Amino acid sequence: MPDRFSFALHATDGKARTGLISTPRGDIRTPAFMPVGTAATVKAMMPESVAATGADILLGNTYHLMLRPGAERIDRLGGLHRFMNWSGPILTDSGGFQVMSLSDLRKLTEAGVTFRSHVDGSRHELSPERSMEIQKLLGSDIVMCFDECPALPAEEKVVANSMRLSMRWAERSKAAFGDRPGHALFGIQQGGVTQDLRAESAEKLKEIGFDGYAIGGLAVGEGQEAMFGVLDYAPDMLPEDRPRYLMGVGKPDDIVGAVKRGVDMMDCVLPTRSGRTGQAWTRRGPVALKNARHADDPRPLDEDCTCPACRNYSRAYLHHVFRSGEMISAMLLTWHNLHYYQDLMANIRAAITAGQFDAFEAEFHAMRAEGDIERL
Ligand SMILES: [Zn+2]
């Protein structure tokens, strides 16, 4: 195992890239999709099952973990990897985004944010310095800068002020992170859907200097067309020799479109959350298992999928356990969804390596356009 964090680009096809991030806790093949383990668990999955789907890295949420069970407690118990029994790399977000979306009575100042916990109403503070401290206590391998972003649509002046505050916080995050060999700190580009602001943000981040660069402030209500509009130029503003991480994305077609535009890493709760609401993601698009059409269907969800849900169970069974509110419904569908996402990433990486990304993309969309298999 290497003792430092590094990134090597192996092949490109158009703007799409494939490569390898090396960390002391293991390698991350890119483009990578990171399952979300919000509260020190990928919901409904054992960590070894998550690994079996092909995931190289998990995402943990600073906001949730600092409130419950607490970062100092996780540190005393040996760190997040040991606590949740995941030995591979972990990326943690900074807490900034979730403070804005989940907590009550927020107060935002130049220093940071004070807020009340959505769990028990207790008072907390987050600042660039405290976020770096918490992510260090957790033992995160990839640490995110503390930032702030408004929901879109927002007035350009609001977006500009917010972005400039985030850039001042990025500088403080870098100083507080210090020199930690083997651990990486990523800066986060902001600027909403305004190209000049995205450029200003990228220049500032490059001046500070980070191990990787995230594109933040997207997938917050602007829609796919506006998001792709930003991704047509935003990744190009970031250094070519560092990983580029698009935060909080997305649906399978968002992922393919982001990779096409030069993104290397993504995360989203969609495959796990959908798994708990009876929605499966397949090569033929989304399938709602709750629908009565599956009640007598002995066929697998996807006959070409090698996950346990598709190998060993029928659509009729998946329909039954979902309708009955059985826990195995969430377990099987989450497994399938994560397996499908990792399969998608593996196919994307193979297509880029082979210089066949355009053909892959055409086939991906053609298959989805066909829709689910005919009902029996
Ligand atoms: Zn499956």
Side-chain angles (χ1 to χ4, degrees):
M1 286 289 183
D3 58 358
R4 300 196 79 84
F5 175 94
S6 66
F7 176 57
L9 207 50
H10 290 166
T12 59
D13 185 3
K15 285 188 183 180
R17 304 138 49 98
T18 182
L20 194 74
I21 297 171
S22 298
T23 84
R25 287 196 178 265
D27 292 341
I28 305 155
R29 297 161 289 176
T30 66
F33 178 79
M34 302 184 280
V36 179
T38 301
T41 164
V42 176
K43 293 187 203 306
M45 295 284 282
M46 299 288 283
E48 47 270 46
S49 312
V50 178
T53 66
D56 293 332
I57 175 171
L58 294 187
L59 181 141
N61 290 123
T62 286
Y63 172 80
H64 289 277
L65 295 170
M66 72 181 281
L67 296 181
R68 189 170 57 190
E72 276 74 10
R73 177 174 286 140
I74 289 177
D75 178 46
R76 285 195 300 274
L77 291 165
L80 185 56
H81 297 82
R82 183 162 170 199
F83 186 57
M84 70 180 292
N85 187 30
W86 173 265
S87 61
I90 294 176
L91 179 149
T92 47
D93 64 6
S94 71
F97 180 77
Q98 287 184 319
V99 167
M100 295 304 154
S101 57
L102 293 176
S103 70
D104 300 322
L105 298 169
R106 296 178 300 272
K107 193 168 167 246
L108 176 73
T109 66
E110 183 70 31
V113 192
T114 53
F115 61 96
R116 284 193 192 280
S117 159
H118 75 288
V119 178
D120 60 8
S122 56
R123 275 183 69 83
H124 296 269
E125 281 185 50
L126 260 181
S127 62
E129 293 74 19
R130 178 60 181 154
S131 178
M132 293 305 109
E133 185 181 20
I134 291 172
Q135 294 182 74
K136 186 176 180 180
L137 287 166
L138 296 175
S140 171
D141 304 286
I142 301 181
V143 171
M144 300 304 298
C145 279
F146 188 64
D147 70 338
E148 199 261 327
C149 89
L152 298 177
E155 269 181 61
E156 197 171 306
K157 195 166 168 242
V158 173
V159 176
N161 287 337
S162 162
M163 179 274 284
R164 287 171 192 139
L165 175 64
S166 289
M167 295 307 103
R168 295 191 294 277
W169 284 359
E171 215 159 353
R172 282 167 55 191
S173 293
K174 173 84 185 265
F177 179 80
D179 184 24
R180 299 180 60 208
H183 300 265
L185 178 64
F186 280 24
I188 306 175
Q189 183 201 42
Q190 292 289 352
V193 293
T194 307
Q195 189 163 353
D196 289 349
L197 296 180
R198 288 276 166 189
E200 181 185 329
S201 178
E203 286 314 307
K204 186 66 202 177
L205 293 176
K206 284 188 278 187
E207 191 185 305
I208 301 168
F210 291 98
D211 303 300
Y213 294 81
I215 300 164
L218 293 178
V220 291
E222 74 282 7
Q224 191 189 67
E225 200 180 326
M227 179 173 84
F228 283 172
V230 173
L231 293 180
D232 281 338
Y233 56 75
D236 303 327
M237 295 170 170
L238 303 172
E240 214 178 324
D241 61 350
R242 295 283 190 277
R244 302 162 175 166
Y245 163 31
L246 176 60
M247 304 181 79
V249 172
K251 294 192 178 78
D253 53 325
D254 294 333
I255 289 177
V256 171
V259 167
K260 181 191 174 83
R261 291 167 173 81
V263 167
D264 305 307
M265 303 166 73
M266 279 154 287
D267 77 280
C268 190
V269 295
L270 192 65
T272 41
R273 182 173 289 166
S274 298
R276 302 193 298 282
T277 58
Q279 172 145 290
W281 293 90
T282 75
R283 294 172 298 134
R284 294 168 173 275
V287 175
L289 267 315
K290 70 165 187 266
N291 291 347
R293 62 165 285 191
H294 305 296
D296 289 298
D297 197 331
R299 296 172 299 178
L301 176 56
D302 181 338
E303 60 178 13
D304 290 334
C305 178
T306 57
C307 90
C310 295
R311 268 201 335 258
N312 304 321
Y313 302 91
S314 62
R315 287 178 174 229
Y317 182 78
L318 296 172
H319 169 80
H320 160 68
V321 290
F322 177 73
R323 283 292 189 100
S324 308
E326 292 292 343
M327 281 188 270
I328 197 173
S329 173
M331 294 161 64
L332 289 174
L333 288 186
T334 302
W335 194 318
H336 166 81
N337 284 342
L338 288 179
H339 183 104
Y340 168 71
Y341 267 64
Q342 294 302 338
D343 223 40
L344 176 64
M345 303 319 293
N347 290 335
I348 285 173
R349 292 190 294 265
I352 298 170
T353 303
Q356 300 285 329
F357 188 79
D358 287 346
F360 163 84
E361 189 194 16
E363 168 71 14
F364 169 82
H365 288 296
M367 197 72 190
R368 288 166 65 88
E370 274 184 32
D372 195 13
I373 50 175
E374 291 286 313
R375 60 188 302 166
L376 284 177

